Amino acid sequence: MTAPKRDPLAPKGLLLPDPTLDVVAIGNAIVDVISQEDDAFIAEHALTKGGMQLIDTDEAELLYADMGAAREVSGGSAANTLAGMAALGGKCGFIGQVFDDQLGAIFAHDIRTLGIRFETAAATDGPPTARCLIMVTPDAQRTMNTFLGASQFLPATALDLDMIRAARILYLEGYLWDPEQPRAAMREAIAAARGAGREVAFTLSDAFVIDRHREDFLALIDGRQIDILFANEAEITSLAQTDDFEKAVARFASKLKILAVTRGPHGAIAIRDGARHECGAAPVAKVTDTTGAGDLFAAGFLTGYVRGKAPHECLALGAICAAEVISHYGARPEADLKQLVGGFLD
């Protein structure tokens, strides 16, 4: 048995066992359903080609029934990050709500085959499992129709607090802060992680989430409830309500252990304990689909971090993983990430 040791983040005098997991994430449990369709299908269903829209239960069921042969894979921002970490050898767990239906079973099976712990009980009442119905037309345009379904109703009672306490880092998806029930669950999860002396990482996800919950996010940062914050350039400036990137970074960097911000083709920065580090974007022959770029950047960065790598190495790992996922359709890595990162993890 591992002997307890003192954790620097724990309340004074508290002894903690070593973490048994690297990261536990809480996020939307979504199944991506991807099919090849022609322009006539898009027109027949009055969809906006190349766009993304939220749809309700009836629309989701009708559209799903009309789609042709499809590839179905578990998705969602935080789950994508864990998929990247698992591919790099990380030990991860996921908490998210699915319904007891076909797509819920697909999500659970798929994420478990990656080696990720997923033990959240499926809901037996309420809306069906969330899905993102994606039609790819011959010109490579992706038309996305998202039904958030059961994922929006994750209750605090579904949390595995022991698993949260056993992970070095609790990783939270900003998208899931929007609905009331999972927001309350994530607050409870933060309290459990902080009480166990663990670190909390948060990804801002999107500007629309920030616009709705800016005061909550600022309170979490000001209250030192977040250790590691992930954002892109648009999100961090939105949070700070300024167009000046450097001002936005300066406002938050001193309140976080790590602030990591991606800047698209201009690479990324990380400020750790006041010291700034930068890296360029990793080369990619052709940018095919930027979906999941931020998720996989976080996967590479966190993998380096939990292995004690220096900030510039964490940034490089994040950039390599992001470059891989934007080189093809879909938000999950297709190449061997361990091979791509080479000696960074030695």
Side-chain angles (χ1 to χ4, degrees):
M1 180 179 293
T2 302
K5 69 177 183 178
R6 191 175 304 282
D7 190 302
L9 292 173
K12 187 175 180 180
L14 180 63
L15 296 177
L16 298 169
D18 287 334
T20 56
L21 293 171
D22 295 319
V23 173
V24 165
I26 301 177
N28 279 310
I30 298 177
V31 176
D32 291 336
V33 182
I34 307 171
S35 69
Q36 302 283 336
E37 306 290 353
D38 56 21
D39 287 340
F41 182 93
I42 303 298
E44 177 186 349
H45 292 83
L47 304 176
T48 301
K49 184 176 177 179
M52 194 283 284
Q53 65 175 347
L54 293 176
I55 56 177
D56 62 23
T57 303
D58 291 341
E59 291 171 314
E61 296 291 356
L62 288 171
L63 193 56
Y64 181 61
D66 285 352
M67 292 172 70
R71 181 165 61 94
E72 299 175 334
V73 59
S74 60
S77 175
N80 292 337
T81 295
L82 294 190
M85 292 194 72
L88 291 168
K91 297 178 180 179
C92 305
F94 180 74
I95 298 171
Q97 187 72 68
V98 298
F99 190 75
D100 184 14
D101 56 14
Q102 178 186 356
L103 290 181
I106 288 171
F107 181 93
H109 176 268
D110 188 49
I111 199 166
R112 288 169 183 157
T113 60
L114 299 175
I116 297 168
R117 281 182 59 184
F118 176 61
E119 299 164 4
T120 312
T124 54
D125 55 34
T129 297
R131 78 280 314 257
C132 184
L133 307 177
I134 304 168
M135 296 89 203
V136 182
T137 43
D139 58 359
Q141 287 281 335
R142 288 163 60 90
T143 302
M144 304 173 69
N145 304 270
T146 302
F147 168 64
L148 293 174
S151 68
Q152 299 179 93
F153 298 96
L154 175 74
T157 54
L159 297 177
D160 185 336
L161 296 179
D162 287 337
M163 187 166 70
I164 290 169
R165 296 183 185 108
R168 177 172 177 181
I169 296 171
L170 171 67
Y171 181 76
L172 303 175
E173 176 184 325
Y175 283 125
L176 202 56
W177 197 266
D178 202 43
E180 182 178 353
Q181 268 190 289
R183 183 165 68 248
M186 286 194 284
R187 287 191 185 278
E188 185 166 328
I190 291 172
R194 302 305 290 184
R198 307 309 189 191
E199 294 180 275
V200 176
F202 195 98
T203 176
L204 290 174
S205 293
D206 196 281
F208 89 83
V209 179
I210 296 167
D211 286 342
R212 289 170 59 88
H213 302 287
R214 182 177 289 104
E215 293 308 312
D216 276 357
F217 296 162
L218 293 176
L220 289 172
I221 294 170
D222 290 340
R224 303 301 200 270
Q225 298 300 297
I226 296 174
D227 301 285
I228 304 169
L229 183 68
F230 289 97
N232 62 29
E233 188 168 356
E235 290 160 1
I236 200 67
T237 53
S238 173
L239 185 64
Q241 294 184 289
T242 177
D243 293 328
D244 189 318
F245 175 72
E246 295 301 333
K247 283 185 178 179
V249 167
R251 175 173 176 182
F252 301 115
S254 64
K255 300 176 180 180
L256 299 158
K257 182 174 182 179
I258 297 175
L259 172 62
V261 185
T262 57
R263 308 189 74 183
H266 303 296
I269 71 164
I271 299 178
R272 179 171 182 178
D273 298 326
R276 181 170 177 142
H277 309 267
E278 301 189 19
C279 80
V284 55
K286 179 184 178 182
V287 177
T288 300
D289 178 10
T290 59
T291 306
D295 303 335
L296 269 294
F297 172 84
F301 190 98
L302 287 173
T303 298
Y305 178 69
V306 298
R307 298 194 185 184
K309 299 300 180 181
H312 71 277
E313 294 175 299
C314 296
L315 284 168
L317 284 163
I320 292 168
C321 293
E324 191 283 332
V325 83
I326 66 175
S327 68
H328 56 77
Y329 286 113
R332 294 289 176 86
E334 295 182 354
D336 185 335
L337 291 186
K338 283 186 178 179
Q339 184 176 7
L340 286 179
V341 302
F344 276 107
L345 294 180
D346 292 343

